Amino acid sequence: MRSWKGLFGKELEERGFHMIKAHKRTLSVRRYMGYAVFITVFFLLLHVLGFREYTSAISGILPGYKETVFGLIYVFMYFAFIGFVPILLISAVILTIWERALSGKINRPSDN
Amino acid sequence: MNLLKNLSIKKLLVHVLVLIIASSIWLPSIHFFFKEDIGNYLDDKGISPKAKMLAGRQLQIWRDPELRKIELQKMQNRNPEWDFMSRTFFVLSLANMAIREPGFKDEACEIMDCIIDTTLEAERLNGMYHFLMGYANHSGPWKIDPPRSIFIDGEIALMLGARRLVMEKPEYAILHRERISLILERMSKSPVMSSESYPDECWIFCNTIALASIKMSDVLDKTDNSGFLKKWIDTAKRSLTERKTGLLISTFTVDGSPIECGFGPEGTSIWLTCHMLQIIDQDYAEDQYLRARKELSGNLLGFGYSREWPVSCKGYMDIDSGPVVPILGTSVSASGLAFIAASSFHDKEYFSSLITSLNCGGFPLEKDGMLYYQAGNPVGDSVLLYAFVEGPLWERIGGKGIPHD
């Protein structure tokens, strides 16, 4: 396998390396956003389908197994929605800022 | 290889750092989304909007015989005590609501009568065991003869007294006096002036409810049991108090020895106990409330809660405490009852933080103009309703909380 240096020279190799890093960072941001969207969509779906009514399962007065499972799934997704989704979104924002700040720092010497 | 390893460690650290920063921004802010003006729940004179909505469901249950049968059966199956206590707290709520809104008085009395009559009928047909948990039958002999539970007698007397304080009813006056006479007789037989809820098991919760019903009778029937009540307080201070916290213990035998299931103070007992004692000895009740507040109340990121046991005196989980959250020691039942104490002692700060938790974890559901707390059950709803409307009934008896603004 030929090296990047052999193919495009040192400058291109460095640029390619930074591109991969930037791509990876973008992937992290996308992943965070993806998790947040998944939790939100899944939670809203449960909510619209009326699963909130099954949360009585927590107090133990719903006798049915199915209702208990539905209730517990809703409770789990509810706390994921209010607890994790905003954290994931804030993390995505911080990572984006971090990424931009870092790429600015990397690009600055080559601009000169 | 080393470069890759360093990169992934660095990347991992960056992610951890970012998640920590994001969490420290978000977690302390969540409570703002659940915080609500307590004016929606508490009203100095009338009935607050949330209380009206919460009462809606309970009223529906008691207006519709079929629905009532289904709901009460569900409660009986789960825990007969819940069935009984939901009646007591709803009668107390109705009495307060009737005083707050005189236009509601006739309907409130009608429903209170329905609850009281069906309760007395169930007791007459099935005996007191109908409302007691199974172990009442086989956990040993009752120490005071004949077997009777102060849990049942005290709460029935309290319901009768509350109904009479709203509007006198001669049939209930006779029944009330009979119960009070039995309660006084049985409590007097114990060296700690407390009677059994279960065989050789006296609960502070039930005994202080009984004291409140005695006080009600004094007001209604112009009797004077003030000497008995004062002696009870002296005895409790001397023999039923946990030394480290200065709080009343939960469970003890007829001779006053603490029982394992409630040898120390418990959130599920002390909050209501403070409230009941308000009409017996305001200063002592105030002292117990402040101690309970110090030992049991908590606030995590703006969410209020009550511990089941003080840190210095951990007990055992049971059906009353429900599941206790590890580390925090939070109990849903204790937190529910803390609403009553926070409301009756006008502790707005604690009440507000409890409301924040209720809005977050109680899964409130508003439907057809009615409010349900999905994570609760009818007894939980009755307790909350009582916390939202209590006040006027106690004022009629003579006790009034001191503001803790």
Side-chain angles (χ1 to χ4, degrees):
Chain A
M1 188 138 176
R2 286 206 231 167
S3 72
W4 282 70
K5 194 176 178 179
L7 273 172
F8 309 108
K10 196 182 174 188
E11 195 184 327
L12 276 177
E13 183 197 26
E14 279 175 358
R15 193 171 290 179
F17 187 61
H18 291 313
M19 276 167 67
I20 290 169
K21 277 176 82 178
H23 183 63
K24 276 186 176 173
R25 280 195 294 271
T26 313
L27 269 183
S28 297
V29 171
R30 280 186 187 165
R31 196 179 298 149
Y32 281 146
M33 297 289 283
Y35 290 150
V37 169
F38 171 76
I39 294 170
T40 305
V41 170
F42 190 33
F43 170 70
L44 290 178
L45 188 70
L46 294 179
H47 192 77
V48 169
L49 290 174
F51 275 48
R52 193 176 177 87
E53 294 202 28
Y54 298 122
T55 47
S56 305
I58 304 174
S59 69
I61 57 167
L62 273 176
Y65 173 76
K66 195 174 79 181
E67 288 87 344
T68 306
V69 171
F70 287 171
L72 292 177
I73 292 172
Y74 183 90
V75 170
F76 182 76
M77 290 312 294
Y78 168 80
F79 284 112
F81 176 69
I82 63 164
F84 292 130
V85 168
I87 291 175
L88 291 169
L89 294 177
I90 295 168
S91 300
V93 170
I94 296 172
L95 275 178
T96 307
I97 295 167
W98 176 290
E99 181 185 324
R100 290 203 177 150
L102 213 65
S103 62
K105 212 174 169 182
I106 290 162
N107 290 335
R108 221 171 290 137
S110 57
D111 292 344
N112 294 331
Chain B
M1 193 69 188
N2 273 341
L3 179 75
L4 278 174
K5 206 174 177 182
N6 287 341
L7 269 174
S8 27
I9 289 172
K10 199 178 161 189
K11 194 180 164 188
L12 185 71
L13 286 174
V14 168
H15 280 264
V16 170
L17 184 69
V18 164
L19 285 170
I20 288 172
I21 294 169
S23 303
S24 44
I25 292 170
W26 176 245
L27 295 179
S29 319
I30 304 180
H31 74 279
F32 291 117
F33 294 86
F34 296 99
K35 208 173 167 70
E36 207 179 335
D37 178 12
I38 59 167
N40 291 335
Y41 295 87
L42 301 176
D43 193 313
D44 284 342
K45 287 179 183 144
I47 303 170
S48 68
K50 291 282 183 178
K52 275 185 185 163
M53 289 171 78
L54 189 56
R57 171 68 178 164
Q58 300 283 318
L59 288 168
Q60 193 187 35
I61 290 172
W62 284 98
R63 277 176 189 145
D64 180 346
E66 281 305 307
L67 181 64
R68 185 195 316 154
K69 205 174 157 189
I70 295 166
E71 287 296 323
L72 294 180
Q73 193 55 53
K74 267 193 216 169
M75 301 273 278
Q76 262 288 329
N77 294 344
R78 180 70 187 150
N79 183 342
E81 283 190 355
W82 290 0
D83 172 14
F84 186 61
M85 286 163 71
S86 69
R87 297 165 192 244
T88 307
F89 283 107
F90 191 45
V91 165
L92 290 177
S93 305
L94 287 169
N96 280 284
M97 288 164 75
I99 301 170
R100 283 174 182 273
E101 276 194 12
F104 179 60
K105 194 162 97 176
D106 289 340
E107 192 186 353
C109 285
E110 202 180 300
I111 299 168
M112 280 194 272
D113 292 355
C114 173
I115 299 172
I116 293 169
D117 292 343
T118 52
T119 307
L120 291 172
E121 180 71 0
E123 188 201 26
R124 194 180 61 78
L125 290 174
N126 310 314
M128 65 173 176
Y129 293 100
H130 181 70
F131 293 118
L132 294 176
M133 286 192 284
Y135 77 92
N137 268 318
H138 47 75
S139 66
W142 294 76
K143 295 285 170 182
I144 304 171
D145 255 350
R148 287 191 79 91
S149 169
I150 201 161
F151 168 56
I152 308 295
D153 287 333
E155 291 195 22
I156 286 178
L158 196 74
M159 285 194 260
L160 292 165
R163 165 62 172 89
R164 290 179 65 206
L165 278 160
V166 175
M167 200 196 289
E168 184 58 286
K169 187 170 177 178
E171 303 95 285
Y172 286 168
I174 299 164
L175 295 173
H176 190 203
R177 284 182 210 123
E178 279 173 8
R179 293 271 168 176
I180 296 299
S181 162
L182 279 168
I183 289 169
L184 283 166
E185 187 195 326
R186 295 174 70 81
M187 287 176 90
S188 304
K189 285 182 181 170
S190 152
V192 286
M193 302 181 73
S194 298
S195 188
E196 301 152 286
S197 302
Y198 284 84
D200 202 18
E201 203 174 278
C202 306
W203 286 82
I204 203 82
F205 183 101
C206 306
N207 278 278
T208 48
I209 283 179
L211 295 180
S213 67
I214 293 169
K215 180 73 181 182
M216 279 179 172
S217 172
D218 278 358
V219 171
L220 287 158
D221 300 320
K222 310 280 181 283
T223 49
D224 182 12
N225 287 298
S226 56
F228 178 89
L229 297 174
K230 190 181 175 306
K231 201 174 158 197
W232 190 92
I233 296 286
D234 293 339
T235 308
K237 283 179 185 170
R238 201 176 50 247
S239 310
L240 302 176
T241 304
E242 198 273 322
R243 297 292 156 215
K244 280 185 218 155
T245 58
L247 285 166
L248 287 165
I249 61 170
S250 285
T251 332
F252 40 92
T253 58
V254 172
D255 64 14
S257 310
I259 297 177
E260 196 179 44
C261 60
F263 62 89
E266 290 179 335
T268 39
S269 290
I270 199 67
W271 296 118
L272 190 82
T273 295
C274 296
H275 174 59
M276 292 295 152
L277 290 175
Q278 270 185 305
I279 52 170
I280 311 296
D281 184 331
Q282 176 67 46
D283 292 338
Y284 182 56
E286 182 87 9
D287 173 71
Q288 285 292 298
Y289 179 73
L290 292 174
R291 286 173 191 273
R293 183 79 158 82
K294 183 178 157 222
E295 299 287 342
L296 299 171
S297 72
N299 188 315
L300 181 71
L301 302 167
F303 294 97
Y305 64 90
S306 168
R307 296 178 58 85
E308 173 64 346
W309 314 288
V311 178
S312 60
C313 190
K314 279 189 184 153
Y316 303 99
M317 264 194 271
D318 58 14
I319 196 155
D320 295 327
S321 70
V324 172
V325 178
I327 302 168
L328 291 178
T330 311
S331 148
V332 173
S333 318
S335 302
L337 288 160
F339 273 98
I340 294 179
S343 164
S344 60
F345 286 90
H346 304 284
D347 189 344
K348 289 180 183 171
E349 186 195 333
Y350 189 36
F351 189 89
S352 174
S353 69
L354 288 169
I355 287 289
T356 308
S357 302
L358 184 67
N359 282 341
C360 176
F363 296 96
L365 187 70
E366 291 182 15
K367 205 174 165 186
D368 305 326
M370 290 183 280
L371 173 66
Y372 313 73
Y373 286 100
Q374 287 297 303
N377 54 42
V379 72
D381 286 347
S382 303
V383 166
L384 287 173
L385 177 62
Y386 180 57
F388 299 165
V389 297
E390 70 77 37
L393 191 69
W394 258 212
E395 280 174 31
R396 277 199 180 180
I397 304 165
K400 198 175 178 183
I402 298 161
H404 282 270
D405 294 335

